[in-house]
Amino acid sequence: MTVSLPRSALVTGVAGFVASHLAEALLDHGTQVTGLDRRSPETDAVAAANLTACLGRPGFTLARADLIDCELAPLLATVDVVFHLAGIPGVRASWGARFPEYVASNIVATRRLAATCHQLGVPRLVVASSSSVYGPAGDRPVTEDGPTRPMSPYGVTKLAGEQLSLAYGSLPQPATTVVALRYFTVYGPRQRPDMLIQRALQAALGGEELLVYGDGKQRRDFTFVGDVVRASLLAAGVPGPAEVLNVAGGNSVSVTEVLATIAELTGRPVPTRSAPDQAGDVPGTWADTSKARSLLHWQPRTGLADGLAQQLDWLRCHQPGGHR
Ligand code: NAD
Ligand code: UGA
């Protein structure tokens, strides 16, 4: 990678799936990383597993803190870049009783962080946004200037957080420049346990059968976590006060096609059961990534079959139920 990486960075949501990979990559490049999360590896098994490769590594400091009310100034004093990935993810759960948490973490805490970065003059804020800001894809890949019509409460909160962050970058002579990355359905080792591919691989390895929502024809532009990390690192150095970029694998693939590829890889069909359509589940996502190609000189490198094989290998090594 030819980009100049920050000497010092704050990574929020570091105990999570994507941010833990990002923190590892930054450490590999010699960046001093403060990783912030409200989940603790001492009390949360997923956080502990995600942070295994970071904890104890020179250059890594873990800050257990809630972005809603923690003291931000000491965390931001010396950083060149903030990678803000903390948030409440998950489209389907956002209709339920946890909606106030989505608002608190995805909107209120994001605005608070962006405002404090601006006050303290942190040079660059990179924010994790989401494909769910768009609503359903048409018959062409969506560009960043396409309409934003989120179909779920989650998507509404991600759009609000993204736009609030970009508003700080759009101030005259902004103290903090902002890049919002619209990640499209990320998968790979350590994927969240509520997501399709993790559940399907677990089912194929003998775990609970997978509930397939709707007819299985819904399509996603699945993106390998290594590609998401590379785009996020490059976003630290891209010029411009306020940019929004799609980060996606480049192909729209149906749930049924994913299950067929997993069956080929594992040599056994994925056991499934039909379940009703889920509210807010868009029929398809599909991204045009030419802006990331031209601004970041980035393109996805890992195709679905290869990425699924990497996630499967990881699962076989790390899950008690996983066996070769
Ligand atoms: P994750 O749940 O694994 O990680 C999110 C982390 O943020 C968690 O460890 C959580 O404890 C932490 N967090 C939440 N609210 C916090 C707060 N107020 N203070 C401190 N920590 C807090 O999720 P993920 O899948 O790794 O997603 C990371 C980010 O990327 C999220 O912002 C999500 O909306 C976005 N995103 C994810 C995907 C995907 O497919 N995984 C796609 C698009 C966008
Ligand atoms: C994912 C993440 O969960 C969100 O946090 C993120 O913001 C979003 O991507 C995004 O791209 O912005 P989703 O696309 O719903 O959301 O990802 P999965 O949970 O992997 O679901 C993919 C498809 O599989 C959906 O159509 C879903 O209905 C289906 N699915 C999922 C099932 O049929 N069964 C399951 O058990 C899980």
Side-chain angles (χ1 to χ4, degrees):
M1 181 167 316
T2 49
V3 67
S4 62
L5 284 160
R7 276 178 300 113
S8 169
L10 176 70
V11 177
T12 75
V14 75
F17 160 46
V18 181
S20 60
H21 283 280
L22 176 61
E24 281 172 37
L26 284 163
L27 291 167
D28 290 344
H29 285 96
T31 300
Q32 295 282 321
V33 176
T34 301
L36 178 149
D37 208 290
R38 64 182 180 186
R39 287 197 289 182
S40 163
E42 281 156 24
T43 52
D44 184 303
V46 174
N50 287 344
L51 286 169
T52 304
C54 288
L55 290 171
R57 215 170 140 176
F60 183 76
T61 308
L62 179 64
R64 166 122 194 261
D66 193 324
L67 284 173
I68 290 164
D69 54 12
C70 68
E71 210 188 325
L72 285 170
L75 295 163
L76 296 174
T78 57
V79 299
D80 308 315
V81 179
V82 172
F83 295 93
H84 177 44
L85 277 71
I88 309 293
V91 173
R92 295 168 290 282
S94 67
W95 296 95
R98 292 186 70 202
F99 181 65
E101 274 186 65
Y102 280 80
V103 172
S105 283
N106 298 354
I107 304 179
V108 180
T110 297
R111 190 218 62 90
R112 181 171 186 258
L113 180 64
T116 314
C117 286
H118 174 72
Q119 264 164 24
L120 299 178
V122 174
R124 168 55 53 92
L125 172 63
V126 177
V127 176
S129 183
S130 157
S131 71
S132 58
V133 304
Y134 285 118
D139 52 8
R140 300 182 65 79
V142 67
T143 54
E144 291 81 353
D145 54 5
T148 47
R149 296 194 190 109
M151 281 177 64
S152 64
Y154 167 73
V156 172
T157 64
K158 291 304 285 185
L159 182 59
E162 170 201 288
Q163 292 296 315
L164 283 161
S165 303
L166 290 167
Y168 284 91
S170 306
L171 288 167
Q173 294 161 345
T176 302
T177 60
V178 179
V179 181
L181 298 176
R182 292 178 177 164
Y183 299 159
F184 281 63
T185 312
V186 189
Y187 74 101
R190 309 203 293 262
Q191 193 189 37
R192 294 197 329 265
D194 58 295
M195 294 184 70
L196 171 74
I197 289 174
Q198 184 72 357
R199 286 182 172 174
L201 289 171
Q202 279 170 327
L205 294 181
E208 273 179 41
E209 61 189 0
L210 173 77
L211 294 182
V212 174
Y213 303 134
D215 58 10
K217 290 186 182 153
Q218 63 271 42
R219 307 178 80 82
R220 291 291 178 274
D221 197 336
F222 293 99
T223 317
F224 188 67
V225 67
D227 286 325
V228 170
V229 164
R230 212 160 29 81
S232 307
L233 295 176
L234 290 164
V238 67
E243 293 290 350
V244 57
L245 297 167
N246 288 338
V247 175
N251 290 301
S252 195
V253 178
S254 73
V255 169
T256 309
E257 287 162 342
V258 169
L259 300 186
T261 308
I262 291 177
E264 264 175 47
L265 282 172
T266 58
R268 43 192 130 151
V270 179
T272 60
R273 193 149 50 88
S274 295
D277 277 330
Q278 301 289 298
D281 219 0
V282 291
T285 64
W286 192 17
D288 182 321
T289 54
S290 37
K291 190 172 173 191
R293 223 179 0 257
S294 89
L295 277 191
L296 302 182
H297 306 293
W298 171 91
Q299 55 187 5
R301 288 183 185 154
T302 305
L304 187 64
D306 181 9
L308 287 174
Q310 292 190 46
Q311 189 167 340
L312 177 63
D313 276 352
W314 168 80
L315 197 56
R316 280 177 163 149
C317 296
H318 290 87
Q319 288 285 109
H323 38 79
R324 286 175 188 270

